[in-house]
Amino acid sequence: MNKEKFINEVEKIGISLTDIQLHQLDEYCKFLLEYNSHTNLTAIKEEQVYLKHFYDSLTFFKAINPSEFETLLDIGTGAGFPGMVLKIVFPNLEVTLLDSNNKKINFLKELTMKLNLTKVNFFHGRAEEFCIKNREKFDIVTARAVSNMTVLTELCLPLTKVGGYFIAMKGSNVDEITEAKNAITKLGGKVERIVEFNLPSEESGRNIVKILKEKTTPKEYPRRYEKIVKSPLK
Ligand code: SAH
């Protein structure tokens, strides 16, 4: 996807980018490829950054408008997807980028300085650890390509404010979403909508699950990571 096509496709979802934002995305792309040449952050090639990372991150807007909220937490953000892209395009948002891999967090810190961004916080560590001091604190919690829906729900919903949203950016497998329904209810959430679509110029299916945090999450969740993975909530 070249830049013109990118701008076009993004407009179709209702987002018009300013020159400053386009410039920032350009810098982001260059810095990512340069950093990637010595530190392996992501498997992607140049021509795919705009489609697979930037465009895909912005499809978030199909489910929810971030400008209506103040804080967003991106769990397992990797090289900043979708959190950093959303920060650039919705600059008023206070974004927290969390990853257990420190080289990714370091990349994001450098990028934030390069782009002169403010209101960006970082956490190097696991989502379950972060939850100890940050329970039910964020208006929006999101994650893309981190783990299956049941595990993800236990990592993300305890961090979501009551009245806020957990937005899961998933691939085409709807079965794992159905399987997670009980976990979602148990942890205080309710599926409000599932937005299903294909990425343009390839047949790659996507599902964005929009979950409203209706009630507070019982204190015993999240459990320790080994438990979360070994005995997923039924
Ligand atoms: N969201 C990014 C990265 C996906 S790769 C993207 O869509 O491109 C998954 C990332 O999640 C990795 O960087 C890994 O370090 C991180 N991760 C996995 N489980 C985690 C956990 N429990 N807490 C924090 N980070 C986690």
Side-chain angles (χ1 to χ4, degrees), residues 53 75-79 81-82 98-101 104 125-128 144-146 155 225:
H53 287 327
I75 287 184
T77 187
F81 310 116
L98 179 153
D99 205 287
S100 53
N101 180 330
K104 295 180 177 169
R126 309 200 60 93
E128 323 80 81
R144 186 186 83 151
V146 174
L155 297 178
Y225 194 68

Side-chain angles (χ1 to χ4, degrees), residues 4 8 13 15 34 83 98-99 101 128-129 140 147 154 156 167:
E4 261 151 62
N8 233 308
I13 24 181
I15 300 172
E34 177 201 318
L98 179 153
D99 205 287
N101 180 330
E128 323 80 81
E129 297 158 10
I140 305 177
S147 56
E154 190 164 347
C156 295
I167 308 291

Side-chain angles (χ1 to χ4, degrees), residues 133-144:
K133 288 194 180 149
N134 297 282
R135 211 177 168 81
E136 302 193 328
K137 201 168 130 184
F138 296 89
D139 295 332
I140 305 177
V141 179
T142 189
R144 186 186 83 151

